[in-house]
Amino acid sequence: MLGLMKSAALELGRYNITCNAILPGLVGTALTYNEQRFRAAIAQSNKAVSAYPTAQETWDARAPTVPLGVGWLQPEDISPMAVFLASDAAALVTGAEMAVTGGDAAKVS
């Protein structure tokens, strides 16, 4: 997908069309509020996983490992980036990968 976005940015720039990608971090939605995802998120934070992890337990384990201290993002945390990219303020932004992760993308693994 990123290659397609970059190709589109290169090809469409001459027509003043910009193309960018928003790369969201872990977002709290119905798709991520499940035991399997909770287990994976807790395991990534190097904490012990309980038999039946809860959303709060997952948040508490994950938040200290994210620079901005959030266990996961909310959908409304992503929308300001989309609004920015759709605005005149982003007229010269094209071919960019915009990570909205609460700082999670800055971590070195």
Side-chain angles (χ1 to χ4, degrees), residues 40-88:
I42 293 171
Q44 286 176 338
S45 66
N46 295 320
K47 305 279 186 198
V49 181
S50 67
Y52 300 100
T54 65
Q56 187 61 53
E57 180 182 352
T58 306
W59 177 279
D60 293 344
R62 193 171 145 67
T65 70
V66 178
L68 293 182
V70 295
W72 48 76
L73 303 169
Q74 297 303 318
E76 57 269 18
D77 297 328
I78 310 301
S79 57
M81 181 58 71
V83 170
F84 166 71
L85 290 173
S87 75
D88 289 341

Side-chain angles (χ1 to χ4, degrees), residues 17-37:
I17 297 172
T18 61
C19 188
N20 299 287
I22 299 174
L23 310 177
L26 181 61
V27 179
T29 67
L31 291 175
T32 57
Y33 286 177
N34 64 69
E35 188 177 317
Q36 181 180 2
R37 186 62 190 120

